[in-house]
Amino acid sequence: MLDLFDKIRNKARASALLYRRLRKLPSQIDQLSMALEEHRRETRLFYEALALPSHTLWQGQPRMVAGAPATSTFSRSSPCRQESFDAPYFAYWAHTLQEPLRYHRKLWEFVFICQALSERGVIRPGVRGLGFGVGSEPLSAFFASQGCEIVATDMDASKAEAIGWSATNQHAIGKAALHKPRLCPDDVFDKNVSFRTCDMNQVPNDLTDFDFCWSACALEHLGSIEKGLAFIERSIDCLKPGGFAIHTTEFNVSSNDETIDNMGTVLFRQRDFRALAARLKANGHKVAPFDFDTGDGPIDRFIDVPPYRPQPHLKMALSGFSTTSYGLIIQRGS
């Protein structure tokens, strides 16, 4: 009986000791989190002191100049790089879209999509356009202002909220979220834009006969590299023969081998784009030749680290890789 009592007492003492230790864990975790955050801030300070280009090269740059859409700037599928921002066509599109001119890859994505479609004569009254994962971007309103009939899509609101897109204003909750009065008059917008929910992994079969479709850095969030590539192939089915698909996505600048896959954000490599091109060409479609030159200007060489800057932000660090935006141009075959 005494042995049993001793065992019970010893277990009670061990439990009490474990309880006291567990009570200390939250404060210890808080201390570790604070130390980690301090090291992160210090690392960013050291990195920017070494890598951030001189303020004279990007603050107040690029300058707004008179411009117009170019005629043959994007004959190739291309990555974001500094030289684009300094061209007159870039200033024209930033002004047209009512976007502040800055060295930021999201602005480059909008300009790439507009310029690529403009070069191909697609932005005109009466054509039909389909946007995927449109978020709060200005493209639907701009295309509508040019007389295009636009079907804008985004994921279901509950799914967007669950993964945090709604909180960061990267999801469109209905048609009203896409209206940009300075870009498109109310009556024109109401006439030319419709909205519907769409899972990019399961594009509905009735989305067909469009002259063009687009997405701006959405397909890398579909769960895997293969799902992203499958979406691009599926988007071609939504087009009329001869129609154009313009998609921008994440491009792994660091490696053509190691990458991020099967996660919330994936990074596509050169090999993934080449494999996609082979699949598309086998089905009779045309893919604009690839340009993988990511630039060597001072802004090109800077890799932004979290928390990401308003600018310069052409390349960024993500899970140990350098990534930038890449624009794909595909034409549906006959």
Side-chain angles (χ1 to χ4, degrees):
M1 178 66 74
L2 289 176
D3 289 342
L4 179 60
F5 178 77
D6 287 340
K7 289 179 180 179
I8 294 173
R9 183 174 58 186
N10 289 337
K11 286 184 177 180
R13 287 174 177 171
S15 297
L17 178 61
L18 177 61
Y19 176 71
R20 288 196 295 271
R21 288 177 176 174
L22 288 174
R23 288 189 64 185
K24 293 180 180 179
L25 272 179
S27 62
Q28 292 173 342
I29 292 173
D30 288 343
Q31 291 173 7
L32 288 171
S33 297
M34 291 173 62
L36 181 62
E37 178 64 18
E38 180 180 335
H39 288 311
R40 187 187 63 78
R41 289 197 302 266
E42 289 177 348
T43 300
R44 182 180 175 88
L45 288 173
F46 291 139
Y47 173 75
E48 289 194 347
L50 294 172
L52 184 65
S54 168
H55 284 63
T56 60
L57 295 176
W58 58 268
Q59 210 163 52
Q61 304 285 344
R63 298 192 183 280
M64 183 63 72
V65 296
T71 57
S72 59
T73 294
F74 291 123
S75 60
R76 302 166 68 87
S77 299
S78 304
C80 172
R81 54 178 176 249
Q82 181 181 345
E83 66 178 15
S84 294
F85 293 79
D86 302 321
Y89 76 84
F90 202 96
Y92 167 84
W93 285 115
H95 175 73
T96 299
L97 296 173
Q98 298 290 298
E99 289 283 326
L101 190 56
R102 63 204 186 280
Y103 286 115
H104 198 289
R105 68 196 192 107
K106 177 54 70 175
L107 176 59
W108 179 88
E109 292 166 20
F110 296 158
V111 171
F112 178 87
I113 292 168
C114 290
Q115 176 61 40
L117 290 171
S118 175
E119 288 181 23
R120 289 156 180 81
V122 180
I123 306 176
R124 65 181 192 276
V127 303
R128 299 182 70 233
L130 172 63
F132 292 100
V134 294
S136 60
E137 65 192 33
L139 300 183
S140 296
F142 167 68
F143 293 141
S145 74
Q146 303 302 297
C148 302
E149 299 173 14
I150 300 300
V151 176
T153 72
D154 212 337
M155 70 171 63
D156 178 79
S158 60
K159 293 181 180 179
E161 185 174 358
I163 62 176
W165 290 115
S166 297
T168 54
N169 196 34
Q170 298 180 76
H171 173 259
I173 305 178
K175 178 176 173 177
L178 304 174
H179 188 22
K180 314 289 182 184
R182 293 195 301 170
L183 284 181
C184 186
D186 293 353
D187 58 335
V188 176
F189 180 83
D190 289 339
K191 175 185 175 184
N192 289 338
V193 177
S194 62
F195 177 84
R196 59 184 290 180
T197 58
C198 173
D199 182 345
M200 291 170 62
N201 281 318
Q202 294 179 317
V203 177
N205 292 329
D206 64 330
L207 288 175
T208 57
D209 294 325
F210 290 91
D211 297 284
F212 69 94
C213 68
W214 82 90
S215 68
C217 264
L219 63 95
E220 67 270 18
H221 303 300
L222 299 183
S224 70
I225 287 175
E226 178 52 38
K227 286 182 178 178
L229 300 180
F231 159 73
I232 295 174
E233 288 184 285
R234 175 68 185 90
S235 76
I236 307 303
D237 295 336
C238 299
L239 301 173
K240 297 176 181 177
F244 290 95
I246 313 294
H247 298 293
T248 63
T249 191
E250 295 285 353
F251 173 54
N252 188 338
V253 179
S254 299
S255 176
N256 195 30
D257 295 310
E258 295 181 289
T259 196
I260 304 173
D261 197 359
N262 299 297
M263 293 183 66
T265 300
V266 303
L267 301 183
F268 296 90
R269 302 156 294 187
Q270 291 188 29
R271 60 194 279 185
D272 300 314
F273 291 147
R274 295 189 190 281
L276 171 68
R279 286 155 58 167
L280 291 171
K281 290 176 181 177
N283 287 317
H285 308 309
K286 298 178 181 178
V287 181
F290 295 122
D291 175 356
F292 291 119
D293 178 6
T294 55
D296 194 38
I299 314 301
D300 293 317
R301 292 193 294 270
F302 175 63
I303 302 172
D304 198 9
V305 296
Y308 300 119
R309 305 174 60 92
Q311 78 160 328
H313 181 81
L314 304 192
K315 293 185 176 72
M316 72 177 195
L318 185 63
S319 298
F321 295 97
S322 170
T323 181
T324 192
S325 301
Y326 195 91
L328 293 161
I329 303 171
I330 304 160
Q331 184 177 27
R332 176 168 179 166
S334 56

